[in-house]
């Protein structure tokens, strides 16, 4: 399927697929809660895409890595509220609760977080004002790239454990590794293809552990 138009039919399909998916919550001792936003949008002359960032090289944690807007949950807020707040803080995009059209499985990271991904419908021509201390660059990743049968790729995990999932995306010109690669792969499988693929077992490369 080619994704050429950001329209109501696309939103309905994605929302229906997410509604039919039974997400898994993963919590436990030592896991801190975090949330990320998978925001569907399009530029004036571009195809439907999701927003992805690259972290500044000088950041203390996850420096230079590709990431979805997101972060840890503050006291007194819900996971969904955290995802929307982080999207506004990092990219200047304020979306109402009604923009949230579904969620995916929690993903436990080697750095000690359980990440909950939320899918948001951003609409066309979002005005982005990236926070320089958190975002070095913003990418619009076309849905067609995520839906490619050439994805994903795998590397051997640490000490022969679970494989590391990664993706080569033309828009980036580089490999994007888990956890972000696993989250976006599940988004492809569930939201775009209507499947129930799980990804929490895929490992992350050692550079993403801190």
């Amino acid at each position: 399927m080619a994704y050429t138009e950001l329209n109501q039919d696309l939103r309905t399909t994605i929302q229906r697929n997410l509604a039919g998916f039974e997400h898994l919550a993963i919590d436990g001792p030592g896991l801190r809660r975090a949330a990320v936003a998978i925001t569907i949008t399009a530029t004036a002359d571009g195809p439907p895409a999701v927003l992805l960032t690259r972290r500044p090289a000088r950041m203390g944690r996850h420096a230079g890595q590709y990431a979805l807007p997101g972060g840890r949950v503050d006291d007194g807020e819900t996971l969904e509220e955290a995802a929307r707040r982080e999207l506004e803080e990092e990219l200047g995009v304020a979306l109402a609760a009604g923009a949230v059209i579904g969620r995916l499985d929690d993903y436990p990271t080697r750095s000690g977080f359980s990440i909950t991904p939320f899918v948001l419908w951003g609409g066309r021509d979002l005005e982005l004002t990236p926070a320089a201390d958190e975002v070095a660059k913003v990418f619009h990743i076309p849905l067609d790239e995520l839906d490619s049968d050439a994805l994903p790729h795998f590397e051997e995990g640490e000490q022969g454990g679970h494989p590391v999932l990664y993706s080569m995306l033309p828009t980036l010109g580089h490999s994007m590794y888990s956890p972000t690669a696993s989250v976006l792969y599940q988004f492809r499988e569930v939201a775009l293809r209507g499947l129930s693929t799980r990804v929490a077992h895929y490992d992350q490369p050692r550079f993403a552990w801190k």
Side-chain angles (χ1 to χ4, degrees):
M1 175 179 179
Y3 297 94
T4 58
E5 296 292 333
L6 189 77
N7 54 32
Q8 185 60 42
D9 286 344
L10 178 61
R11 176 172 179 160
T12 298
T13 297
I14 291 175
Q15 195 161 5
R16 181 178 63 244
N17 288 342
L18 290 167
F21 176 66
E22 186 175 350
H23 67 267
L24 296 179
I26 300 174
D27 201 357
L31 283 178
R32 294 163 287 176
R33 299 313 306 253
V36 297
I38 304 172
T39 307
I40 303 170
T41 184
T43 59
D45 56 353
V50 298
L51 297 176
L52 185 71
T53 74
R54 189 176 68 222
R55 300 301 194 195
R58 65 184 181 275
M59 287 189 74
R61 295 177 63 88
H62 308 300
Q65 295 179 30
Y66 296 109
L68 294 161
R72 68 180 64 195
V73 178
D74 287 346
D75 291 340
E77 70 178 352
T78 66
L79 292 164
E80 179 183 314
E81 289 168 345
R84 292 192 292 115
R85 173 182 55 76
E86 290 284 349
L87 177 64
E88 183 173 8
E89 290 178 358
E90 292 186 22
L91 296 181
V93 175
L95 296 178
V100 178
I101 59 175
R103 63 184 287 183
L104 299 171
D105 286 344
D106 291 351
Y107 185 94
T109 72
R110 289 276 197 167
S111 56
F113 286 92
S114 179
I115 300 174
T116 302
F118 288 91
V119 180
L120 291 84
W121 187 264
R124 187 172 293 279
D125 294 331
L126 289 177
E127 183 176 347
L128 306 180
T129 54
D133 60 336
E134 295 191 77
V135 178
K137 190 171 182 179
V138 182
F139 302 88
H140 287 72
I141 307 298
L143 298 189
D144 279 340
E145 285 190 22
L146 296 178
D147 202 27
S148 169
D149 287 332
L151 304 179
H153 307 286
F154 299 95
E155 291 182 355
E156 184 176 350
E158 187 73 11
Q159 297 178 340
H162 291 295
V164 173
L165 185 151
Y166 71 99
S167 297
M168 282 287 295
L169 298 176
T171 295
L172 301 180
H174 295 279
S175 295
M176 172 187 64
Y177 282 83
S178 294
T180 302
S182 285
V183 170
L184 286 178
Y185 172 55
Q186 189 178 53
F187 168 78
R188 189 275 292 278
E189 293 288 277
V190 175
L192 302 185
R193 297 189 175 186
L195 304 174
S196 295
T197 304
R198 306 295 183 185
V199 299
H201 59 288
Y202 290 122
D203 205 350
Q204 305 113 62
R206 183 169 285 276
F207 68 76
W209 292 12
K210 55 183 179 179

